[in-house]
Amino acid sequence: SDVTTTRRAAAEHALAEATRLRPDLAETQLARGYYQYWVLHDYKGALDMMRELRNSWPSNAEIHQVIAFISARLGRWEDSIESIDRVIALNPRDLFPRNQAIQLRLATRDFSGALQSADSTLQIWPDNTDLRGLKASAFQARGQLDDAQSALNGVIPKIFDGSDSSLAAIWYQAR
């Protein structure tokens, strides 16, 4: 997060103005939660605010996604996975939370869950190299290198800046 003095002041001003205009608006409360999270780095306070907001706006996938991110940052992995799964249920055609669900399961060493998430996501986006790289990473973590190779066959990473998981999986597989 960029918390330079100028950006912090701009964020404070925008939040103050939103609060002045419509303090009761759910979007204003969401902005306050983001401010606590990104600017103040008050993760516990931001999480409490997002949970309260979730109670009044349960169908908002963005709130569940922010709860997932904050929970992961606080080491509350099960809460994070539960929240990201809720995001997927609310918005099943959004690739980003599906990718995050796989990565959370990899981070918690739930390799079977990561493979299940990868397979269901690859049903929608079969040619996504990042997803195939994440799937290969789960196989590699389980020591199933032949399966990892199968997941990577024909993959040419589309992004060479490190954001495509297939590149790391291919590198690991080559070792």
Side-chain angles (χ1 to χ4, degrees):
S1 64
D2 180 2
V3 290
T4 60
T5 305
T6 304
R7 292 214 180 208
R8 185 180 184 125
E12 287 173 359
H13 176 72
L15 181 57
E17 186 65 12
T19 302
R20 183 185 70 75
L21 293 172
R22 290 292 307 269
D24 57 320
L25 200 62
E27 288 85 350
T28 301
Q29 298 307 310
L30 181 60
R32 184 177 311 287
Y34 273 120
Y35 180 79
Q36 283 187 264
Y37 180 36
W38 287 108
V39 179
L40 300 179
H41 302 282
D42 173 12
Y43 305 126
K44 172 89 170 72
L47 183 59
D48 291 344
M49 180 166 287
M50 290 296 177
R51 284 179 173 162
E52 185 177 314
L53 192 53
R54 175 186 61 192
N55 291 336
S56 61
W57 203 0
S59 63
N60 185 305
E62 182 180 4
I63 294 167
H64 291 278
Q65 186 166 292
V66 174
I67 289 171
F69 295 157
I70 297 170
S71 295
R73 185 175 288 270
L74 293 173
R76 299 176 182 169
W77 299 105
E78 291 303 317
D79 292 344
S80 182
I81 290 169
E82 181 181 313
S83 292
I84 206 71
D85 286 346
R86 181 70 182 134
V87 174
I88 293 166
L90 289 168
N91 195 0
R93 302 294 283 181
D94 188 346
L95 176 59
F96 183 73
R98 286 177 171 272
N99 185 300
Q100 294 300 304
I102 299 165
Q103 291 189 42
L104 281 168
R105 286 175 170 86
L106 287 171
T108 58
R109 303 184 59 77
D110 176 9
F111 305 124
S112 295
L115 288 169
Q116 289 173 350
S117 293
D119 284 339
S120 70
T121 305
L122 283 163
Q123 291 293 315
I124 302 168
W125 296 280
D127 298 324
N128 186 293
T129 59
D130 190 38
L131 294 173
R132 290 177 61 191
L134 290 170
K135 182 176 181 175
S137 295
F139 280 129
Q140 289 167 342
R142 291 171 61 156
Q144 296 173 268
L145 300 182
D146 290 339
D147 292 325
Q149 187 60 52
S150 293
L152 292 170
N153 283 342
V155 168
I156 299 171
K158 293 184 170 65
I159 302 171
F160 294 98
D161 65 359
S163 64
D164 187 330
S165 298
S166 66
L167 185 59
I170 289 168
W171 176 82
Y172 183 82
Q173 195 71 10
R175 296 178 58 202

